[in-house]
Amino acid sequence: MHQHEMSARSVFDGAVFMPSQMKLLEDFKRDTHPDKVNLAGREYVGEHGHTTWLPLVRKIKQQIATDPTLTPEYPPNLGIPEFTRRATELALGKDSPAIVESRVFGVQTVGCTGAVRLGAELLRSCYCSSSSWSGPILLSSPCDDSLAGIFKAAGIEDVQYYRFWDAESNGVCVENMVRDLENAPEQCLVVLFASGHRPTGAELSHEDWKRVAEKRQLFPFFLMSAQGLCSGSLEQDAWPVRHCVSLGLELLCAQSFSYSFGLYGERVGHLLCVLKQNLLAVQSQAEKIVQTLWSCPPMEGARVVATVLSNPAHLVDWQESVKAIAERCMLIRERLRERLRLLGGPWQWDHIIKPGGLYCCFGLNTQQVEFLVQKKHIYLLPNGCLNVSAINSRNLDYVAESIHQALSSKL
């Protein structure tokens, strides 16, 4: 990979793929058009058109609120022990060699963003013998531009990009991705989406993941923000992380429970650290860093997650809810593809029915996206990345017809 190529893509990623979602939301709220649709949101939206509590989560929250044995107190700096244990098992599996061999520890964080920031700080202080290490970090092209900002805030200025999405084929450009990773410098950190790449929703096959895992000169930092919501299976969505652990690799993994539990405002995150040595020293360093970042994490959401994951009946109930969400998103994709196919045209739509969780990328250009926003009042991310869960039986036909018009019109 050449430096000038990486620089060009970094400009593209920040300016084109990920605008301010807050601005899109504000524009949507001000829009008075009766048929307006917000497909740029981050939350899971049900058939009724708005977010809601999972029934189990609401039940557990009520139980916690009325539990006389719970007292208001600060949690440990590294979080609620039961939460970190259960979150680790959810990601790696109870029989993971890393757990059996005591090569892993977890830290409760303030959301997935906090997990990434803590991971970045640990990398700065512990990754290698040189205290001046500052990168490079490899991010996917495209990705959320806030990721680069998080690493830079931790003092890691050398942020580069590997090719991931191919707009022409509307899929992952695996060969380019592998080539860029092969050409990356040693002691380079590569950020990988374990499942449901954001914002495209694209997935790698197991064979593709095996090729990525062969790049032993790299240190993987996985993001797993919606385990279970992509394929409907907790094990399937965690497979890339578990595969790398089975190979004996060291890695970091930032987990979020916002999507899978509907705890968007609770900021329930977790940083998983799998190491070969110096585990206690790194854990001690993590505690020092946490004291300067947020001191101690919020408790209520983590208590909900720990309660569910530690109770077999609750766990089954939650897994069924997660699977139902994934299946609904898949059904929306299939219905949308069928509507677009019936409207005609030379376009192929098979890529949108591949499992990818909430997000899907249509590959629309800037003019087509502007047409949808300005003329049709359909709000989505640039280049046609959208949250499929916000499509329902009431707006499906309108969304499909509007996308067809955007593609057919001479803008």
Side-chain angles (χ1 to χ4, degrees), residues 42-43 51-53 57 61 109-112 256-259 261-269 297-302:
R42 302 184 67 146
E43 301 89 354
T51 58
T52 185
W53 294 107
V57 170
K61 286 176 73 71
T109 63
V110 183
C112 193
S256 171
F257 296 89
S258 297
Y259 293 101
F261 280 80
L263 295 169
Y264 299 107
E266 306 287 351
R267 310 305 294 136
V268 187
M299 292 186 68
E300 184 175 338

Side-chain angles (χ1 to χ4, degrees), residues 89-392:
E89 292 175 348
L90 189 70
L92 301 183
K94 290 184 178 180
D95 299 326
S96 169
I99 296 177
V100 173
E101 297 164 11
S102 299
R103 299 191 284 110
V104 58
F105 74 90
V107 181
Q108 182 186 339
T109 63
V110 183
C112 193
T113 299
V116 176
R117 176 62 186 271
L118 176 59
E121 297 281 357
L122 281 174
L123 288 164
R124 280 279 288 159
S125 59
C126 303
Y127 182 32
C128 65
S129 58
S130 172
S131 61
S132 61
W133 183 84
S134 59
I137 302 290
L138 279 182
L139 303 178
S140 67
S141 172
C143 70
D144 189 330
D145 61 345
S146 67
L147 281 174
I150 295 171
F151 285 105
K152 290 180 179 179
I156 304 175
E157 294 289 341
D158 190 358
V159 177
Q160 302 174 14
Y161 294 83
Y162 62 88
R163 290 168 289 181
F164 181 84
W165 179 256
D166 181 10
E168 292 185 6
S169 64
N170 284 314
V172 182
C173 48
V174 178
E175 295 303 324
N176 288 338
M177 175 183 179
V178 171
R179 189 177 302 115
D180 288 349
L181 296 183
E182 287 175 343
N183 294 331
E186 292 191 10
Q187 290 190 324
C188 178
L189 178 97
V190 56
V191 177
L192 302 162
F193 286 78
S195 56
H197 176 267
R198 190 169 179 274
T200 67
E203 295 271 295
L204 294 177
S205 68
H206 284 189
E207 291 305 312
D208 293 335
W209 275 119
K210 289 176 182 178
R211 294 177 65 187
V212 171
E214 291 174 355
K215 313 309 169 194
R216 298 299 184 95
Q217 83 278 16
L218 305 178
F219 188 101
F221 193 153
F222 282 99
L223 304 184
M224 190 157 56
S225 60
Q227 185 179 354
L229 290 186
C230 297
S231 67
S233 165
L234 297 171
E235 292 74 20
Q236 173 69 14
D237 286 357
W239 190 89
V241 180
R242 297 181 183 187
H243 176 66
C244 287
V245 171
S246 72
L247 298 176
L249 297 180
E250 293 186 306
L251 59 84
L252 299 178
C253 179
Q255 299 168 260
S256 171
F257 296 89
S258 297
Y259 293 101
S260 56
F261 280 80
L263 295 169
Y264 299 107
E266 306 287 351
R267 310 305 294 136
V268 187
H270 186 252
L271 179 67
L272 185 64
C273 305
V274 180
L275 305 173
K276 293 180 180 178
Q277 57 188 358
N278 300 325
L279 193 75
L280 292 178
V282 177
Q283 189 171 1
S284 176
Q285 184 67 19
E287 187 165 10
K288 293 179 181 178
I289 295 170
V290 164
Q291 290 173 349
T292 67
L293 291 177
W294 52 74
S295 180
C296 58
M299 292 186 68
E300 184 175 338
R303 275 178 173 161
V304 171
V305 174
T307 301
V308 171
L309 297 183
S310 60
N311 182 303
H314 290 337
L315 180 59
V316 170
D317 190 345
W318 172 68
Q319 286 179 296
E320 290 176 350
S321 296
V322 169
K323 184 177 180 181
I325 291 173
E327 289 176 345
R328 176 177 173 265
C329 288
M330 195 65 210
L331 182 61
I332 292 170
R333 292 167 181 267
E334 292 171 353
R335 288 177 174 173
L336 183 58
R337 181 188 68 160
E338 183 62 16
R339 295 294 197 283
L340 290 167
R341 188 186 66 80
L342 291 174
L343 289 169
W347 308 284
Q348 298 295 321
W349 300 108
D350 289 346
H351 67 280
I352 72 173
I353 63 168
K354 296 178 180 178
L358 272 60
Y359 287 95
C360 183
C361 194
F362 279 72
L364 304 173
N365 62 37
T366 303
Q367 291 75 24
Q368 290 163 342
V369 172
E370 288 179 355
F371 170 82
L372 289 171
V373 174
Q374 301 298 329
K375 301 297 183 182
K376 309 304 291 185
H377 305 270
I378 295 177
Y379 293 79
L380 69 166
L381 299 176
N383 255 27
C385 295
L386 54 87
N387 182 339
V388 296
S389 74
I391 300 174
N392 53 49

Side-chain angles (χ1 to χ4, degrees), residues 22 36 58 119 135 144 167 312 372 403:
M22 288 300 297
K36 67 178 183 177
R58 182 184 290 276
D144 189 330
L372 289 171
I403 291 175

Side-chain angles (χ1 to χ4, degrees), residues 62-82:
Q62 291 172 345
Q63 290 177 352
I64 290 174
T66 57
D67 187 344
T69 67
L70 294 177
T71 57
E73 59 187 3
Y74 287 118
N77 293 115
L78 298 185
I80 302 172
E82 182 68 6

